[in-house]
Every structure is written in structure tokens, then in C-alpha cells.
């Protein structure tokens, strides 16, 4: 398809990809050549492929950010391969330097392409459409018909019609010539540039969020309150440029958590809904409000969002030591294991017991059944709760050394007190041998785990995403096209030739538009003949 | 609200009916290849030929007059300004206007009995398919794309409707057998391997974003499905055209000569992808918004998110390739097919086998 | 025309980059180097606030482990050592002995010790006090409200944290993390002005 190129629209593709032109081998020339290569479509294509390819290992291998336990497992199952992969950064692909290099190069290429084109677009808005070619019949779309109007009159009518359709017109310099040139569709390039710049905006927003935002976790037992401060959070990940002072000073109390499950049918045991009723205050002394946090419905406090991520059961234990003192009386969060139906594991540490410290490992079952001697959970709701405990006495290892996990018991310095795990129903007690004390399972309360996130780049990223979509639609829907009309005198009738050219129309939809425009011009001419 | 199992069974029955009728439609399309009479080239082509020297026109005219159903002049030309006319007539030199499109129903009528039958069956099948999807939605009281089975049935419905529209608009009857055949295969897979009974959704999916994000992804996947099939047809046609020009094949092959030109197939595929790419982009954005509501971050490189990104990049590469010298044609279509492969990989492998936050396929 | 336009673009880009560089350098210089704290015994987590740069400790009223109400303002006029702790916290258990000894040794000088028990329950907290012979009172801060108020003025990042408040109610010294006897001694010596009573 012949394509009449205006000089301002040509995209420069280097003729010699092997290097800059002969006779100009200085560093500046090499840099210029390198820059031209980087901003060429071919390299952009290669970079896009590399981006797609580089993303693949990030989805196939466990990544440190999302699944650190999986990474550990990979090390144990592939001891020779794992360190090599780690060296290549494949366990943290999206933060790896080589991945950053790919998308930074891609964006450099993008910027290097977009900025000159923006200048060109601004320039083309000032220049007129090109002159009408001599032989309109050679254009991909053309029409020809006769009219009794004089050539210049015919051109006037045509110009009026085209102008009515929003085309920009160009008239001949020489008044003797009878043609008009019309062009339309500059918005396409605007949309194109907007799309690419918006992508850059998304990248910047993501970076901003990562730098200035934070993510934190907190496990909260029903009835408890917590304040959003570094020492009260279980885990906190600050962005590079964020500090503890950026944590919004709100407090949340978990009043009540309810989970409902499907009780019958093929999906029995599947969760139906979760609901955490909370009271919160945005700042100390500020007004407190109540709200409910559900899945898909986070709580928004002063630009920070609090999400309900998980939940579980915290059985309540009361421990009396050998001296008869109540040394422990608290709900103890147990964590659900992988066996299902919220069969949960947990640990009770009683460092205050005298004369020996006490520790218990336990299993909490919300609806217990005995399956051939093993304890199983039949349903995730606490319809028939029970707890099974093994007791230890000795040194918990808490008086010195490294901080311990609250969910693990180090029995190295302890001796086992009970030979068999003991099952306790709510209200029942286990009397420890040797007069070491008693532990009573008094009941249970639910707990929730909350994720607190603050991402200042979130809203800008969304805005840029929407802008990108808008630019995309604009660049696809609008076509840059030109219509030329020439009128030649030929005896009693003039011959009107209409030619059409769509510059960026690889999709072929200009045909219908040209056909209807040609028909409209013809009918306009025949109307003016009357 | 409890799931209406009876209505769920009705939905499944309609889907099986759709499957059967689609298969019959495929047979009818194939029958057109085998037994249908040759169709006329459209007027636009003839208008262009009018500018060629008169001898060429005479040769062309003679060939079409002497046609016995085996000449290469029988290629139907896909064009927005299409339509059929009577026997070849040289247009008057003084007045040449481009033709306006012929109304669709008349075009179907003029395409021959096999196409008429195939289109009727296809329309019936789409109606049954749509009913199946709608009744499924009514049965579960939500948008019917909450697990993989529902997703595949919905996207094939989108693909079928979209393709019917494309076929009618561009008079591309010859492509019917390929796309409808692919729909039959996909539905067959849905019914047998990935079938899931109607049921409630886990709380994480109970959100109005289901209607927005998954709908967009369903639409986009259906559209890309059509583009992938057309891309495969393009590659076959392109190979055939190159074999003809290399002299290794005679232009008399039954199926191939019925297909549109490679240029038209290329344009059709491009327009399809141009339609689908913004929908996919919107779907990704909507998914990010939903992820932020549900999981606390709008992008976490979850495997499904990652592969949706890869798919997006590959289709973007296709669009770039069409504007790059040396990358138009076959190479661009390879890229497009790679993009669809990554999309399929995402649906069938990642969502099923790799656990992540997105594992809602419902397939055990 | 194109040549000069490109030169103009390059010049503009260079100017913008230069300006950004200047901004970054100035910002970095301005925020670095706080002159208002000095480290104690070389430990960057144990600090003394120079006079005039001491943050004001927030007031609070809370319930002690024994159930009585305690108002922090009642300590005004005395030097107070506020220790944030929990029975579950291993470094708290390690520093408990140091705090107990320091409390007894500085009692004649009128220095008060007050514990703030975080994320804990009464039974476990009382058992802790019994184990380590903690005689000074502790208030319960299970909702972390007191912690939140203090975090607004000093960067409390975890547990344990020990703050030393002077007679005017300003925070004069802090140990962010486990406190050693030597650090407590140094800080109290500076704040109180009197050496520990033997």
C-alpha cells in the first residue's frame, strides 16, 4: 500500500545496525549510534521479549518475598542447584539487578522515543496537511464522478463538507488550482504518547510506594486492643525511605470475630463468611468508631488500610504451679496446620512457674473425633472443642540467649512429664505428676491476623493505569487520515476526484469511512447543482 | 442463598445441547468447503482492477467466465466494503464510486446453502450456549465465572459470539470451520476434564469485583481465542501462498483456495487483537484494584498475576512487531500465538498446579 | 532547526538533573547528624538527650498489676525509670536482674522505677515479678496505648525499652533494647547528678 509520508512523521530506523556511519568513529558517534539503537522499535521488541522471559522464573520458582518457606524447601530439595540460582538472583527476581536493567532499559527506550515524538506532534499541530497529489486515482482509495458545478465551486462545497466532519484543511497557494487537502486524527498520536507516558507514571508510582510505604502484621485475640506502633506489631517491613514515625497512630480493638461455614452439601466445611467487628480510633484521644473488617472489605484509617488476612482459635489455659500460685491465665493463639478443618498446633510457655518452669505442646481441635486412636477435626467451626497436651518441665531457655518464637517450644533443657498426650474438654484439668501443678483448659476465643499496609503510590498508580487505558483506546480508535479533492474542468461538467489515505490504518477500516464520505461529497455536489 | 442445583443441571443440559449443535455447524462449514459452489469476488476488487490495463481485465474476465469451480478467481475477498454482484461487468470509466456494504442477511443468503445452514446452526448453538451461561449464573446467584469450568464456558461463549459478529461483518465464511471447531474442543474439555458442579464461592471471591475483573478477563480471553485461531489460519494460508509462489504447489487446493488472502487474514487478526488488548489491560487493572481490597497489595507477583503480565507484554510485542520492519507477517503472528499460549498456560497449568493466592480454579 | 532543538532538550535535561542533584544533596545534609543525643558507653541504642533537646514524656493513667490506679503525673519532681517489658520477652528476662538491683540502689536517692507491661496478662506478669524479685510497680498496657503515646516522642521500636525521665518530666535518657547495669548507672548518674548510693 502506497503511503505518502510527510517528512515530519518518518521514524528513523538506522540503516547500518553494525555501527555508526563510516568516517565518524568517535565516542560521541558511538554513543549516538547506541542511543539510536536503544530507541529503535527493534530493540524495544527485543526488550519486551526479555521482560516477558525474565518474568518466567519469578513465577516458577519460589520467591523470597512471597514464600520464604518455599525457598528454604527448595534449598533442601535441590542442594546443588539452589545456591547457583540464588547467585543469579532467581529467588528474588523482581528485585534482581538484571531484571531492573531490563525494564529500565525498556523505559529509557520508551522515553527516548516518546519525547521526540511529543515535540514532533506539537510541531505537526502547527504545520498544515500536505498538498493534494496530482493523480488521486493512484491512491488506495479513490472515487471519481462528474458534476455541473465549476471546479472552484465544487472544491468549496467539498471543503465545507470536510470541514463539517472536523478535518483540518489546506487550500492551494495558487488560486487557479482547484483542490483541497484535509487531514484528521491527531488524537491518535496523543493517545499513543499518553499511554506510554502513563506506563512510566505507573513505574514511578510503584517505586514511590515501595520507598515510602510499609506493610505490617499483627495477630489480635478477640477482646484485645493494639496500637499501630513498631513495638506492638508482630512484623513490620518499612520502605527504604519510610520510618517508624510514618505509622499512623491508630488503635484497634477486636470486639468480636465470627466465621460461618457451609454445613451441608458438597462444599461442607468451606468457609461462607468472615466478619471482624472492631472499634478503632484514628489517633489517641480521637473519636472512636465501630466497623467490621471482612475479606474484600478492609478498614481504612487515615490512608492506611487494615485487612483481615486470617483467623484461628486461641484456647484459654490457667496454670497453677507447685506452690499453688496461678502463674498463667491467658488465651494462647494456636495456628492451624495443613491437615484441615482448623486442627491447630500451639505451645504454652510458663516461665513463671516455680520451682521448675513449665511448657506444654498442644493440639486444639474445634470439632474433635477419634479416628483409630488419632485426633482429627471434623468441622472447622468449634462445635465440639478439645485440646490435647503434652507437659514438660525444666528450663525453657527464655532467661538468656536469642529471642524465641512464641509458637515453638525448645525442649532441649526440659524433661517430659506426661507419657501420653492428654485430651481435655473445656473445663477439664490435667494434674501434673510429681505435684508440679495443674493446667486447666477453660475455653477458647478466636483470633484474627490483620495486615496493615500503607502505600502512597497506590492512588497515583491507579490514575496512571486509567490514563494508560484511555490513551490506548484513543490510539486504537482514532486513525490519522487524509482526504484530497481535486476538480478539473472538462467541458460542461467538471470531474471531481476524491482520494483517501489512511496513514496508520493497518486494520483496513478506513474503506467504509471513505466510501460514505465519497457518497456524501457526491450528494452535496448534486444538491448544490440545483 | 442456597445454590439452585436443579437450575445448575438445566444449565449443563443447555451446554451439552450447544456442544452438539456447534458440532453440526462445524460439519456444515466443512460441507461448504467440500460441496459449496464458488463465490464471486467483490466489487471493490473489481474497481481496483479497472485501473489495470484492459488486457489484464480481459484475462481475468475470461478466466471467471470459464470457471468450473477450480480457478483461483474464486477467492472470496474479505472486506468491509464487500458484497456480491452479478457476473463480471467492466465499470464505466467516467464514474467509479466505492461500493457501500451489502446488508448482512442478504450476504448470508448469497453465500450458499451450506453457509446458510452453518450460520443458522451456529446462531442456535450460541443461543443455547448463552442460555447455559445465564442459567448457571441464576443457579449460583452470582456472575457465572467463579471457577475454571464456568470461566471456560463463558469465554468460549464470548469467543463464539464475537466470531459470529466478525464473520458476518467481514463475510469470512471460510473461517467458520476453524473457530467453531476450536470452540467445540474447548467445550468438550470443559465438560469432561474440568467440570465443577454449581456451588458457592469462598469468601475471598464474594465481591462485586468478580463481575468486573473476571468478566473483563473472560471477554479478553474469548477475543484472543478467536485471534489465535485466525493466526493459525493465517500461518497456513501464508505457507500455502509462499509454496505457490515458489512453484511447489498448484493453486488448486480445496480448502486453501477458499480462504481469504493472507493480507486480509492479517488485518482481521490485528483488528481482533486491537479489540482484545484494551479489555485485557482493563482486566489487569481491575484485578489489581480487587487484589488491593482482598489481599492488601495491588501487585504481588503472584504466579497468575505474573503470567497475566507476561501475556500482556507478549501482545504488546505483537503490536510493536507490526510496526517494525521485518517483523510483520509470520513473525508477528508467532508472537501473538506465543501470547495466547502463555494465556492458556496461565489458565490450565498455573491456576491448577501452582498454589498461590489465585488458586480458585475449584479443580481438585 | 533540529540540531538546536536537540541541544535545547539536552540542556534542559542537564539543568533538571543538576537541580535534582542539588536538592538531594541538601536534603541529605540537612537530615543527617543529630547533635542533640550522645551515645552511652559506645552503644548507639543507649542515648542521653542533651538539656534543651529532651522530649516531654506524655502523661498517662493506668491500672497496676495489683489492680490499683496509677497516674504518671504523680511522679513529677522525681527521676523515674520507665521500663517497657513483657513476661514473654527473652531480653526482658535478661535485664530484669539489672533493673531490680538498680531500683534498690537508687531508691534512697528518690529515683522511682515503673514498669509498663505490654501484651501480657496479670498472672504471667506477677509470676515474672516474683521470679526476678521486682518490687517496683508495673502498669498494664495490653492495648499498647501508653506505648503509642510515648512512641510519638521517642522512637520506641520494640520491647524492652527503658526511658529515664528527669524531675521536670522530660525524657533525658533511653535504652532501646536490653539495658545493662552499666548503662543504667551511667544514665542515672548523668540525669540525677548523684552517684549511686552504696
Amino acid at each position: 500500500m502506497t503511503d505518502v509520508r510527510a517528512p515530519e512523521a518518518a521514524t528513523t530506523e538506522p540503516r547500518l545496525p553494525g555501527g555508526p556511519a563510516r568516517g565518524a568513529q568517535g565516542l560521541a558517534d558511538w554513543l549516538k549510534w547506541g542511543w539510536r539503537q536503544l530507541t529503535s522499535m527493534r530493540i524495544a521488541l527485543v526488550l519486551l521479549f526479555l521482560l516477558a522471559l525474565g518474568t518466567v522464573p519469578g513465577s516458577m520458582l519460589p520467591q523470597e518475598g512471597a514464600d520464604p518457606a518455599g525457598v528454604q524447601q527448595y534449598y533442601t530439595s535441590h542442594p546443588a542447584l539452589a545456591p547457583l540460582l540464588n547467585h543469579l538472583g532467581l529467588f528474588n527476581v523482581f528485585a534482581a539487578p538484571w531484571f531492573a536493567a531490563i525494564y529500565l532499559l525498556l523505559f529509557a527506550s520508551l522515553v527516548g522515543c516518546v519525547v521526540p515524538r511529543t515535540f514532533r506532534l506539537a510541531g505537526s499541530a502547527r504545520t498544515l496537511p500536505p498538498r493534494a497529489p496530482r493523480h488521486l486515482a493512484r491512491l488506495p482509495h479513490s472515487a471519481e464522478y462528474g458534476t455541473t458545478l465549476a471546479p472552484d465551486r465544487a472544491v468549496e462545497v467539498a471543503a465545507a463538507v470536510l470541514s463539517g466532519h472536523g478535518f483540518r484543511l489546506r487550500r492551494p497557494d495558487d488560486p487557479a488550482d482547484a483542490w483541497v487537502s484535509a487531514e484528521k486524527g491527531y488524537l491518535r498520536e496523543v493517545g499513543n504518547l499518553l499511554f506510554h507516558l502513563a506506563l512510566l507514571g505507573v513505574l514511578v508510582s510503584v517505586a514511590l510506594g515501595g520507598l515510602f510505604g510499609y506493610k505490617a502484621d499483627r495477630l489480635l485475640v478477640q477482646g484485645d486492643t493494639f496500637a499501630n506502633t513498631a513495638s506492638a506489631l508482630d512484623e513490620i517491613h518499612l520502605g527504604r525511605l519510610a520510618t517508624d514515625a510514618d505509622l499512623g497512630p491508630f488503635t484497634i480493638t477486636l470486639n468480636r470475630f465470627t466465621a460461618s461455614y457451609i454445613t451441608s452439601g458438597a462444599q461442607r466445611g468451606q468457609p461462607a463468611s468472615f466478619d471482624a467487628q472492631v472499634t478503632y480510633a484514628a489517633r489517641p484521644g480521637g473519636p472512636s468508631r465501630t466497623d467490621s473488617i471482612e475479606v474484600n472489605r478492609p478498614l481504612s484509617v487515615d490512608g492506611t488500610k487494615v485487612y483481615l488476612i486470617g483467623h484461628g482459635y486461641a484456647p484459654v489455659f490457667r496454670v497453677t504451679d507447685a506452690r499453688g500460685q496461678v502463674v498463667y491465665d491467658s488465651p494462647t493463639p494456636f495456628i492451624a496446620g495443613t491437615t484441615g478443618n482448623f486442627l491447630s498446633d500451639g505451645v504454652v510457655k510458663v516461665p513463671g512457674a516455680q520451682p521448675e518452669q513449665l511448657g506444654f505442646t498442644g493440639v486444639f481441635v474445634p470439632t474433635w473425633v477419634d479416628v483409630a486412636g488419632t485426633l482429627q477435626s471434623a468441622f472447622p467451626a468449634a462445635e465440639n472443642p478439645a485440646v490435647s497436651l503434652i507437659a514438660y518441665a525444666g528450663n525453657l531457655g527464655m532467661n538468656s540467649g536469642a529471642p524465641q518464637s512464641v509458637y515453638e517450644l525448645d525442649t532441649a533443657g526440659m524433661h517430659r512429664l506426661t507419657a501420653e498426650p492428654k485430651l481435655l474438654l473445656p473445663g477439664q484439668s490435667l494434674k501434673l505428676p510429681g505435684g508440679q501443678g495443674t493446667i486447666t483448659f477453660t475455653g477458647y476465643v478466636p483470633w484474627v491476623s490483620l495486615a496493615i499496609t500503607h502505600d502512597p503510590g497506590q492512588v497515583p498508580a491507579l490514575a496512571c493505569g486509567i490514563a494508560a487505558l484511555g490513551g490506548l483506546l484513543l490510539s486504537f480508535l482514532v486513525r490519522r487520515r487524509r482526504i484530497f479533492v481535486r476538480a478539473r474542468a472538462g467541458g460542461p461538467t467538471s470531474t471531481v476526484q476524491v482520494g483517501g489515505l489512511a496513514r496508520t490504518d493497518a486494520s483496513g477500516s478506513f474503506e467504509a469511512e471513505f466510501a460514505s464520505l465519497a457518497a456524501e461529497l457526491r450528494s452535496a455536489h448534486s444538491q448544490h447543482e440545483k | 442463598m442456597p445454590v439452585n442445583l436443579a437450575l445448575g443441571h438445566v444449565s449443563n443440559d443447555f451446554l451439552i445441547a450447544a456442544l452438539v449443535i456447534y458440532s453440526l455447524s462445524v460439519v456444515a462449514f466443512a460441507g461448504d468447503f467440500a460441496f459449496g459452489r464458488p463465490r464471486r469476488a467483490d466489487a471493490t476488487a473489481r474497481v481496483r482492477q479497472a485501473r489495470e490495463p484492459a488486457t489484464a481485465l480481459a484475462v481475468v474476465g475470461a478466466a471467471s467466465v470459464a470457471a468450473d469451480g477450480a480457478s483461483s478467481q474464486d477467492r472470496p475477498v474479505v472486506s468491509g466494503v464487500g458484497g456480491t454482484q452479478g457476473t463480471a461487468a467492466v465499470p464505466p470509466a467516467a464514474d467509479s464510486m466505492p461500493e457501500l456494504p451489502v446488508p448482512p442477511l442478504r450476504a448470508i443468503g448469497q453465500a450458499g446453502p451450506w453457509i446458510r445452514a452453518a450460520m443458522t446452526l451456529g446462531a442456535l448453538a450460541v443461543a443455547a450456549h448463552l442460555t447455559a451461561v445465564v442459567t448457571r449464573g441464576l443457579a449460583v446467584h452470582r456472575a457465572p465465572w467463579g471457577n475454571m469450568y464456568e470461566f471456560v464456558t463463558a469465554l468460549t461463549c464470548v469467543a463464539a459470539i464475537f466470531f459470529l459478529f466478525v464473520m458476518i461483518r467481514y463475510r469470512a465464511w471460510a473461517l467458520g470451520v476453524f473457530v467453531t471447531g476450536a470452540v467445540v474442543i474447548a467445550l468438550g474439555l470443559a465438560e469432561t476434564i474440568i467440570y465443577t458442579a454449581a456451588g458457592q464461592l469462598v469468601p475471598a471471591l464474594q465481591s462485586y469485583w468478580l463481575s468486573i475483573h473476571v468478566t473483563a478477563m473472560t471477554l479478553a480471553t474469548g477475543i484472543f481465542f478467536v485471534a489465535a485461531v485466525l493466526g493459525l489460519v493465517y500461518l497456513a494460508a501464508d505457507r500455502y501462498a509462499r509454496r505457490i509462489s515458489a512453484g511447489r504447489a498448484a493453486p488448486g487446493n480445496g480448502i486453501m483456495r477458499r480462504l481469504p488472502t493472507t493480507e486480509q487474514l492479517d488485518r482481521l487478526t490485528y483488528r481482533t487483537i486491537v479489540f482484545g488488548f484494551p479489555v485485557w489491560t482493563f482486566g489487569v487493572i481491575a484485578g489489581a484494584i480487587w487484589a488491593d481490597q482482598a489481599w492488601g497489595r495491588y501487585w504481588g507477583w503472584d504466579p497468575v498475576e505474573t503470567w497475566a503480565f507476561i501475556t500482556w507484554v507478549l501482545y504488546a510485542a505483537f503490536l510493536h512487531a507490526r510496526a517494525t520492519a521485518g517483523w510483520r507477517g509470520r513473525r508477528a503472528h508467532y508472537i501473538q500465538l506465543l501470547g495466547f499460549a502463555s494465556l492458556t498456560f496461565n489458565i490450565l497449568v498455573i491456576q491448577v498446579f501452582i498454589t498461590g493466592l489465585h488458586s480458585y480454579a475449584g479443580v481438585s | 532547526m533540529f540540531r538546536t532543538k536537540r541541544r535545547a532538550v539536552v540542556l534542559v535535561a542537564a539543568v533538571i538533573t543538576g537541580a535534582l542533584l542539588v536538592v538531594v544533596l541538601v536534603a541529605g545534609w540537612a537530615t543527617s547528624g543529630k547533635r542533640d543525643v550522645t551515645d552511652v558507653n559506645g552503644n548507639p541504642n543507649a542515648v542521653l538527650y542533651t538539656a534543651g533537646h529532651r522530649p516531654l514524656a506524655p502523661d498517662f493513667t493506668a491500672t497496676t498489676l495489683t489492680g490499683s490506679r496509677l497516674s504518671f503525673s504523680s511522679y513529677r519532681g522525681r527521676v523515674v525509670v520507665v521500663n517497657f517489658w513483657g513476661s514473654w520477652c527473652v531480653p526482658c528476662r535478661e535485664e530484669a536482674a539489672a533493673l531490680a538491683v538498680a531500683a534498690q540502689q537508687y531508691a534512697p536517692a528518690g529515683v522511682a522505677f515503673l514498669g509498663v507491661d505490654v501484651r501480657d496478662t496479670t498472672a504471667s506478669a506477677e509470676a515474672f515479678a516474683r521470679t526476678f524479685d521486682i518490687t517496683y510497680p508495673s502498669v498494664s498496657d495490653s492495648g499498647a496505648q501508653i506505648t503509642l503515646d510515648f512512641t510519638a516522642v521517642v522512637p520506641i521500636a520494640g520491647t524492652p525499652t527503658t526511658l529515664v525521665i528527669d524531675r521536670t518530666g522530660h525524657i533525658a535518657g533511653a535504652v532501646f533494647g536490653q539495658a545493662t547495669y552499666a548503662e543504667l548507672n551511667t544514665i542515672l548518674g548523668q540525669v540525677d547528678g548523684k552517684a549511686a548510693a552504696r
Side-chain angles (χ1 to χ4, degrees), chain B residues 146-163:
Chain B
N147 56 47
M148 188 179 302
Y149 166 76
E150 292 176 356
F151 181 65
V152 173
T153 52
L155 83 89
T156 42
C157 190
V158 168
I161 294 174
F162 182 76
F163 182 66

Side-chain angles (χ1 to χ4, degrees), chain A residues 119 218-219 225-227 229-232 234 244 249 251 284 325-330 351-352 354 357 398-401, chain C residues 3 5-6 9 87-88 90 93-94 119 121 123-124 127 130-132 142-145 147-149 151 156-159:
Chain A
F119 280 117
R218 168 70 199 236
L219 186 149
T225 308
F226 92 98
T229 172
S231 62
D234 291 339
D244 286 348
T251 50
Q325 300 263 19
V326 174
V327 284
Y328 187 94
D329 186 7
S330 155
Q354 303 273 6
Q357 292 181 329
M398 281 177 69
N399 287 348
S400 60
Chain C
R3 212 155 241 210
K5 196 191 282 180
R6 188 201 275 174
V9 169
S87 67
W88 42 269
V90 172
R93 304 182 76 85
E94 290 190 22
R119 274 186 100 165
T121 51
S124 319
R130 272 199 303 273
T131 309
F132 293 100
S142 54
Q145 300 274 24
T147 314
L148 185 62
D149 290 341
T151 310
I156 300 180
T159 312

Side-chain angles (χ1 to χ4, degrees), chain A residues 332-494:
Chain A
T332 317
F334 274 35
I335 311 290
T338 45
T339 37
N341 279 333
F342 277 93
L343 186 100
S344 314
D345 303 295
V347 143
V348 183
K349 296 190 201 182
V350 191
Q354 303 273 6
E356 275 192 308
Q357 292 181 329
L358 295 171
F360 303 85
T361 57
V363 171
F364 173 85
V365 187
T367 309
W368 75 277
V369 284
D370 188 325
V371 177
T374 50
L375 194 60
Q376 302 258 19
S377 178
F379 196 70
E383 295 181 341
N384 198 1
V387 109
S388 164
L389 295 172
I390 302 176
Y392 297 84
N395 186 353
L396 287 165
M398 281 177 69
N399 287 348
S400 60
Q404 295 182 348
S405 162
V406 194
Y407 305 109
E408 277 165 25
L409 184 68
D410 182 9
T411 54
M414 311 193 85
H415 58 101
R416 198 162 148 161
L417 289 178
T418 53
E420 293 279 317
K422 176 87 167 89
L423 186 76
L424 296 173
L425 295 179
Q428 290 184 341
S429 305
L430 165 63
K431 198 157 174 335
L432 300 170
Q436 292 271 33
T438 9
I439 178 166
T440 313
F441 169 42
T442 52
Y444 70 91
V445 281
W447 56 262
V448 297
S449 70
L450 300 172
I452 299 129
T453 61
H454 173 64
D455 190 347
Q458 199 173 310
V459 172
L462 181 64
C464 288
I466 293 174
L469 192 59
L472 194 64
L473 286 171
L474 213 54
S475 76
F476 282 156
L477 294 174
V478 177
R479 292 171 314 276
R480 185 102 166 253
R481 54 235 191 260
R482 293 174 178 152
I483 305 275
F484 308 105
V485 181
R486 262 189 191 283
R488 262 199 322 271
T493 57
S494 321

Side-chain angles (χ1 to χ4, degrees), chain A residues 59 144 267 296 305 307 522, chain B residues 95-96 200 204 290 292 307:
Chain A
S59 70
E144 197 174 306
Q267 292 176 305
N296 280 318
K305 289 210 192 147
Y307 298 82
R522 188 184 198 177
Chain B
D95 197 17
S96 65
Q200 236 184 351
W290 190 13
D292 180 69
W307 279 90

Side-chain angles (χ1 to χ4, degrees), chain A residues 227-312:
Chain A
N228 190 34
T229 172
S231 62
L233 292 165
D234 291 339
E235 261 190 61
I236 175 161
H237 304 281
L238 293 168
R240 287 278 169 86
L241 297 180
T243 60
D244 286 348
D246 295 327
L247 295 170
F250 59 83
T251 50
I252 298 181
T253 310
L254 177 65
N255 299 326
R256 189 175 165 71
F257 173 76
T258 37
S260 69
Y261 302 88
I262 301 174
T263 48
S264 59
Q267 292 176 305
R268 191 190 128 87
Q270 295 254 22
S273 72
F274 303 130
D275 175 23
Q277 298 283 334
V278 297
T279 305
Y280 68 97
R283 63 196 59 80
S288 43
R289 294 195 177 87
T290 52
D291 207 336
S292 83
I293 311 180
E294 300 158 50
V295 181
N296 280 318
R297 200 175 165 276
L299 177 69
S300 190
V301 186
D302 256 356
T304 313
K305 289 210 192 147
V306 181
Y307 298 82
L308 178 62
I309 295 296
H311 64 102

Side-chain angles (χ1 to χ4, degrees), chain B residues 162-230:
Chain B
F162 182 76
F163 182 66
L164 269 187
F165 162 76
V166 162
M167 207 167 31
I168 293 173
R169 178 142 195 255
Y170 294 101
R171 321 283 193 258
W173 320 122
L175 301 172
V177 69
F178 303 105
V179 180
T180 320
V183 168
V184 167
I185 294 173
L187 276 183
L189 269 174
E191 273 298 304
T192 51
I193 300 181
I194 47 185
Y195 179 73
T196 320
Q200 236 184 351
L201 284 178
V202 293
L205 289 180
Q206 290 171 13
S207 163
Y208 59 86
W209 283 104
L210 183 72
S211 315
I212 302 173
H213 162 64
V214 185
T215 307
M217 292 321 236
T218 310
L219 284 171
T221 308
I223 295 168
F224 284 145
F225 181 92
V226 173
V229 176
L230 294 179

